[in-house]
Amino acid sequence: MGGFTRADLGFAAAMLVCGFLYWNLISLASLGAGVSIFTMILCIVISIYLKHGGIHQTRESILCLVVVTLSAVNFPLYDNITIKGLNFIFLSVSVVYYVCVLTRKRIEDKLTIFFIGDIINQLLIVPFYNFNCCFLGLKNGMIKNKHSKSFISALAGIIIFLPVLVLVTTLLVDADAAFERMINSIQFSLSAKMLEYIIQIILGVPVACYLYGLVYGNRYKRHTDHITLESINKNTKVFRFAPSVTVYSALAALNGIYILFFVSQASYLFSAFSNNIPGMMTYSEYARRGFFELCMVTGINLAVIAIAHLITNRGERIDTTKVMKIETAALCLFTIMLIVTALSKMAMYIKYFGLTQLRVYTTWFMLVLLLVFVIIALRQFKIFNGSKIVIISFVILFMFLCYGNVDGMIVKYNINRYVDGTLKTVDVNALARLSDGAVPYMFQLYKDTDDENLKNNLKSAIIDQEDRERTFRDFNLQIYKGNQIRAMIR
């Protein structure tokens, strides 16, 4: 390893601070404004450090930074902890990928299927292979820098002289009441926060080492080439052992089973299109069973398609490529039919029972799956960068989910259906379990309804949840508005 520059040493110190701020600003229980503040600080520090090393922003890195920003801005605005938890994972991956794009260390200099390799490389290999660089840099700087030596000597002097300081302070406390009150006040403040800060500093060290290893490794290209285009192609050749005829024959057999399945289950699977359910099944049982079938079939089909294309021996001269594409397209078509059927079931279920979080999440997930299988099917007939379309579409759909105010829209939809008379009741108990994004719509119904029983239930549902905003770290706009409404009706 070469020597560390002043910028490297300064960045190491900055990462130690960021490691502390990661735990100090981010409350995992609320995921509020602290997440946005930390992300802003981290991205600014990383960008300045890399710019100092001659690494400047590109169009792709700016677009990636826009995605990071959109993801981070969501936290101080919305209150749905499930979506914010998923967004926190998305944000973490996006920041890592931003570093990868900015330092031009992608396997391919564009969005392709090798995006998966980039994520594995940047999340796991680069940071941990360079994990000790943060402390090596600080050690190197302190040995060479006379100011650092002076600081360490001064700190050692304070530690050695600490017993005398304690003795003098104790004597002065006994001598003066005002000084005693001041020391007691300081002692209380320190005792209340010191342990928390110490824990955050300790836990922040591995975070600092991870972040420093990621950025430093990419800047100096240290352990960034463990996964390359050549290594992927070399490793995948090992798996290409199956004759083409064997693979497409297996696919043909599987497609044949699906044909028989659709023929035998046609009346059951497609009954949702006619707004009917078979036999003695309830709407709830019908929709849930349809989704279970969808997940199982989709998972099997994705696995089969991936494995088939991975293990097929492509060195053969037998002209089976077209057959493989047709079989893959057919498998995608059967899956798309099931997804569309499941969506129609869910639409029927929502028509009779209204919206819930689970129904919204399920519908969103099915739309994502539908997109994936449509792209795979089209890819069999026309060569294009399907991975790029899937990744970009997923990001857009995920941002719609994050910014769609799911809980608010659920309550708004159900209340409007109730007011219109197309929904028999409003399940206030279910609404009470939603986040504060639902409170303004519940409050509007509370003001408009003449049903005293409903009004009391809505009031209880609104005020049952205590004010949850504690510090700026936990702040989000929906909690703030919810607290205002609670204060008005108490």
Side-chain angles (χ1 to χ4, degrees):
M1 181 186 296
F4 289 85
T5 66
R6 286 188 177 183
D8 298 333
L9 302 180
F11 185 64
M15 287 301 97
L16 286 173
V17 174
C18 285
F20 164 73
L21 291 177
Y22 181 88
W23 298 106
N24 182 264
L25 291 176
I26 297 176
S27 171
L28 296 178
S30 62
L31 295 175
V35 178
S36 304
I37 297 171
F38 173 79
T39 304
M40 178 184 67
I41 294 171
L42 180 63
C43 288
I44 289 174
V45 172
I46 289 174
S47 299
I48 292 174
Y49 170 66
L50 292 177
K51 184 178 180 181
H52 184 273
I55 300 173
H56 300 282
Q57 298 283 356
T58 63
R59 185 176 69 90
E60 290 79 8
S61 67
I62 291 174
L63 288 174
C64 194
L65 188 58
V66 169
V67 173
V68 170
T69 303
L70 283 173
S71 177
V73 169
N74 179 263
F75 293 94
L77 297 179
Y78 297 96
D79 188 41
N80 185 311
I81 193 63
T82 300
I83 293 178
K84 289 203 294 186
L86 294 172
N87 190 26
F88 185 70
I89 297 172
F90 177 86
L91 176 62
S92 302
V93 174
S94 298
V95 170
V96 170
Y97 191 68
Y98 165 67
V99 174
C100 176
V101 174
L102 181 55
T103 54
R104 288 91 162 157
K105 293 307 299 176
R106 288 186 289 178
I107 295 173
E108 283 194 324
D109 196 26
K110 56 184 177 180
L111 275 177
T112 64
I113 189 64
F114 297 111
F115 168 83
I116 299 172
D118 286 324
I119 294 301
I120 295 172
N121 196 33
Q122 297 296 328
L123 275 177
L124 301 176
I125 297 177
V126 176
F128 289 113
Y129 268 86
N130 296 289
F131 198 75
N132 64 339
C133 290
C134 184
F135 283 115
L136 288 177
L138 289 173
K139 179 183 177 182
N140 182 281
M142 288 181 179
I143 291 174
K144 293 182 178 180
N145 193 309
K146 62 180 182 179
H147 296 293
S148 299
K149 288 182 178 179
S150 300
F151 173 76
I152 294 174
S153 299
L155 184 62
I158 293 174
I159 293 173
I160 294 171
F161 201 65
L162 188 60
V164 178
L165 293 176
V166 172
L167 177 60
V168 171
T169 302
T170 302
L171 292 173
L172 291 175
V173 165
D174 293 337
D176 184 79
F179 187 69
E180 180 183 13
R181 287 193 296 270
M182 183 183 72
I183 293 298
N184 287 338
S185 175
I186 295 173
Q187 184 179 8
F188 174 77
S189 177
L190 289 176
S191 62
K193 285 291 184 180
M194 185 58 70
L195 181 60
E196 181 182 349
Y197 289 150
I198 290 173
I199 293 174
Q200 289 171 353
I201 291 171
I202 293 172
L203 293 177
V205 171
V207 174
C209 291
Y210 179 92
L211 292 172
Y212 188 84
L214 170 70
V215 182
Y216 179 84
N218 277 289
R219 175 177 173 176
Y220 290 105
K221 302 178 181 179
R222 295 189 76 253
H223 303 291
T224 56
D225 296 328
H226 287 273
I227 298 179
T228 63
L229 191 59
E230 292 75 19
S231 66
I232 291 174
N233 289 332
K234 181 180 178 181
N235 291 327
T236 53
K237 285 181 181 178
V238 177
F239 296 97
R240 293 172 184 167
F241 59 85
S244 300
V245 175
T246 302
V247 175
Y248 79 71
S249 297
L251 290 176
L254 182 60
N255 283 324
I257 291 174
Y258 280 124
I259 291 173
L260 293 175
F261 174 79
F262 274 103
V263 171
S264 64
Q265 297 289 320
S267 61
Y268 164 72
L269 288 173
F270 300 107
S271 56
F273 290 108
S274 58
N275 204 31
N276 294 316
I277 58 175
M280 300 297 293
M281 294 182 69
T282 64
Y283 290 107
S284 177
E285 291 171 340
Y286 183 57
R288 282 199 300 267
R289 185 174 179 183
F291 183 62
F292 175 76
E293 291 169 349
L294 166 69
C295 289
M296 292 294 292
V297 172
T298 300
I300 292 171
N301 289 354
L302 271 177
V304 167
I305 290 171
I307 292 171
H309 284 266
L310 178 64
I311 68 174
T312 302
N313 188 339
R314 302 179 187 182
E316 299 179 355
R317 292 297 180 182
I318 302 174
D319 187 17
T320 56
T321 304
K322 290 184 178 180
V323 178
M324 276 282 291
K325 289 183 176 182
I326 293 172
E327 296 292 352
T328 302
L331 204 54
C332 290
L333 177 62
F334 292 138
T335 308
I336 290 169
M337 291 169 64
L338 280 177
I339 293 173
V340 172
T341 304
L343 284 171
S344 66
K345 291 180 182 180
M346 186 58 66
M348 182 178 65
Y349 195 28
I350 291 170
K351 177 181 178 181
Y352 283 95
F353 298 103
L355 283 174
T356 63
Q357 283 183 333
L358 184 59
R359 292 164 203 167
V360 173
Y361 300 155
T362 299
T363 302
W364 181 86
F365 181 64
M366 287 190 292
L367 289 173
V368 172
L369 289 177
L370 180 62
L371 169 71
V372 170
F373 277 95
V374 167
I375 295 299
I376 294 174
L378 294 176
R379 185 68 174 72
Q380 306 311 306
F381 302 102
K382 184 176 178 61
I383 302 299
F384 60 93
N385 191 346
S387 299
K388 181 178 181 179
I389 296 174
V390 169
I391 293 168
I392 292 175
S393 299
F394 174 82
V395 171
I396 293 172
L397 287 172
F398 187 72
M399 287 298 104
F400 269 114
L401 183 68
C402 290
Y403 284 92
N405 187 17
V406 170
D407 290 350
M409 292 303 101
I410 288 171
V411 179
K412 182 180 179 181
Y413 175 85
N414 289 345
I415 288 176
N416 287 341
R417 289 278 309 278
Y418 172 73
V419 172
D420 293 342
T422 56
L423 200 62
K424 294 181 179 180
T425 60
V426 175
D427 189 347
V428 178
N429 291 330
L431 301 186
R433 293 191 291 269
L434 300 176
S435 69
D436 273 7
V439 170
Y441 300 99
M442 294 168 66
F443 180 59
Q444 187 62 47
L445 180 61
Y446 168 81
K447 292 190 298 182
D448 294 342
T449 186
D450 295 325
D451 186 334
E452 288 299 321
N453 185 49
L454 178 59
K455 186 182 287 285
N456 291 332
N457 289 338
L458 286 168
K459 181 179 179 179
S460 298
I462 292 172
I463 66 176
D464 270 351
Q465 195 164 26
E466 295 296 327
D467 296 356
R468 294 178 291 119
E469 180 191 332
R470 296 179 295 276
T471 68
F472 70 92
R473 301 169 183 82
D474 310 292
F475 175 85
N476 70 66
L477 191 60
Q478 290 187 332
I479 288 180
Y480 176 74
K481 291 181 177 179
N483 289 342
Q484 286 184 320
I485 291 172
R486 278 186 280 271
M488 291 172 56
I489 65 176
R490 278 192 175 120

